[in-house]
Amino acid sequence: MTSLTQRTSGLVQRRTEAIRSAAAAEKEKDSGGEEDEARRGEEEEDDKGDSKETRLTLMEEVLLLGLKDREGYTSFWNDCISSGLRGCMLVELALRGRVQLEACGVRRKSLLARKVICKSDAPTGDVLLDEALKHIKETQPPETVQSWIELLSGETWNPLKLHYQLRNVRERLAKNLVEKGVLTTEKQNFLLFDMTTHPLTNSPIKQRLVKKVQDSVLEKWVNDPHRMDKRVLSLILLAHSSDVLENAFAPLQDEQYDLGMKRVHSLLELEPEKESTKPNANELMWAVVAAFTK
């Protein structure tokens, strides 16, 4: 009788353990399934975003605004776009959380006196941005925003710092836009020399970009730079610094053009030092603006 009771007890115990093991395995499977589903959801969200609209960097957007649609090159008279694109790189890195300005300190240094420091060296997926980030990370002591714009442009008298220059930036950005299906590549003969050009092939993307700029100061105007989307605000200010903003407003009627430009000028008249102290302000973006307007 005693042995029968022991056998029954052992059987129940084994069955209970088996049920517990099965439940634990089922729970682990469900947990793993939820994680996989969440991961798939994130990937689908990314794919959905990419398919909905081709994602362009600030540098690519500024260059696209400056390029002539059919000719495929920027104005020969534009001597601002080179430094403007370097400013775009710094702001793009800041928007992606890779760089920031050093703390202002007790005596509150001005924006142009504060150094740019590396916040994260995680790759951005963009070769030009990663090159600039590598320079910023490895440079000791750190440099200011003004210095980085000059160094990345190659505008330095110090031969020991010429290696900081990012070469063929416009051509490399144009090739990025070719890969994204926005531009194409052609050769044009200019009497004395041949030049590679990049005419526009995807008009809807440029039209969306132009409309985004126009709407930000017309239909979607909020009359407060800190309520504007940081990327759109940066685009307007940097497109102006690169002397290509006018191209976005050229198609407008006279009244809309005047109103749009009036609001752009109201943004340009803001004091970067003051604006950078407001909540959620992108200090590095205002430092770049200060560098171009000093």
Side-chain angles (χ1 to χ4, degrees):
M1 183 72 179
T2 305
S3 61
L4 180 63
T5 304
Q6 287 175 341
R7 281 199 301 273
T8 305
S9 174
L11 184 63
V12 170
Q13 189 173 358
R14 285 196 298 276
R15 186 178 299 168
T16 304
E17 286 176 0
I19 292 171
R20 282 177 184 164
S21 299
E26 188 68 27
K27 185 177 179 182
E28 188 176 342
K29 183 180 176 184
D30 289 345
S31 174
E34 287 174 6
E35 287 177 7
D36 291 341
E37 191 174 340
R39 201 178 299 115
R40 280 197 301 274
E42 287 175 7
E43 289 171 0
E44 285 172 9
E45 188 74 23
D46 289 343
D47 292 342
K48 185 179 176 184
D50 286 338
S51 61
K52 187 177 179 181
E53 182 176 351
T54 303
R55 295 180 181 179
L56 305 180
T57 63
L58 277 175
M59 304 92 72
E60 291 165 352
E61 289 180 327
V62 167
L63 180 67
L64 192 54
L65 287 175
L67 281 174
K68 299 177 180 180
D69 293 356
R70 282 182 295 180
E71 292 87 345
Y73 52 84
T74 56
S75 170
F76 291 123
W77 310 110
N78 188 338
D79 58 357
C80 301
I81 195 167
S82 179
S83 57
L85 290 173
R86 272 66 174 188
C88 289
M89 289 181 200
L90 295 176
V91 176
E92 183 74 40
L93 286 171
L95 290 172
R96 296 189 185 204
R98 300 304 196 277
V99 298
Q100 63 185 16
L101 290 183
E102 65 178 350
C104 58
V106 179
R107 297 181 63 183
R108 188 145 200 96
K109 290 182 183 176
S110 68
L111 289 172
L112 294 180
R114 291 162 67 184
K115 312 291 187 182
V116 180
I117 57 175
C118 180
K119 186 178 176 184
S120 165
D121 62 355
T124 64
D126 183 283
V127 177
L128 278 169
L129 289 177
D130 287 341
E131 272 186 52
L133 182 59
K134 184 173 182 287
H135 285 318
I136 292 169
K137 180 193 173 189
E138 294 177 353
T139 300
Q140 292 297 331
E143 300 280 359
T144 62
V145 162
Q146 179 72 54
S147 294
W148 275 120
I149 292 172
E150 292 171 358
L151 290 171
L152 296 175
S153 303
E155 297 173 2
T156 175
W157 293 103
N158 188 343
L160 298 177
K161 293 189 175 182
L162 285 174
H163 68 282
Y164 288 121
Q165 181 182 4
L166 298 181
R167 300 179 184 279
N168 305 318
V169 167
R170 267 178 274 189
E171 181 62 24
R172 291 162 73 182
L173 288 173
K175 285 181 179 176
N176 287 350
L177 290 169
V178 170
E179 290 174 5
K180 292 180 179 181
V182 182
L183 306 177
T184 188
T185 303
E186 292 180 0
K187 285 275 188 186
Q188 282 197 30
N189 182 270
F190 286 87
L191 193 61
L192 297 176
F193 59 94
D194 289 337
M195 186 173 88
T196 302
T197 60
H198 300 281
L200 182 70
T201 55
N202 194 328
S203 295
I205 286 183
K206 182 159 185 179
Q207 287 167 1
R208 279 201 298 269
L209 173 61
V210 169
K211 184 161 175 41
K212 178 170 72 173
V213 174
Q214 293 173 352
D215 286 352
S216 65
V217 293
L218 292 172
E219 293 179 18
K220 297 179 180 177
W221 176 244
V222 292
N223 201 27
D224 179 359
H226 298 281
R227 288 171 55 205
M228 292 178 70
D229 178 82
K230 285 186 175 66
R231 185 169 284 275
V232 174
L233 176 62
S234 301
L235 174 60
I236 291 172
L237 296 173
L238 291 166
H240 177 268
S241 300
S242 304
D243 198 17
V244 300
L245 186 61
E246 179 81 14
N247 298 344
F249 294 105
L252 293 172
Q253 298 293 329
D254 288 348
E255 280 187 25
Q256 286 185 312
Y257 176 88
D258 291 340
L259 179 59
M261 291 307 294
K262 180 182 176 184
R263 287 171 174 170
V264 167
H265 284 302
S266 72
L267 293 175
L268 297 172
E269 288 168 0
L270 295 170
E271 296 179 16
E273 293 287 350
K274 180 180 176 184
E275 299 303 321
S276 67
T277 61
K278 295 184 179 177
N280 299 319
N282 185 333
E283 290 184 320
L284 196 139
M285 186 270 287
W286 287 111
V288 170
V289 172
F292 286 126
T293 56
K294 69 177 179 57

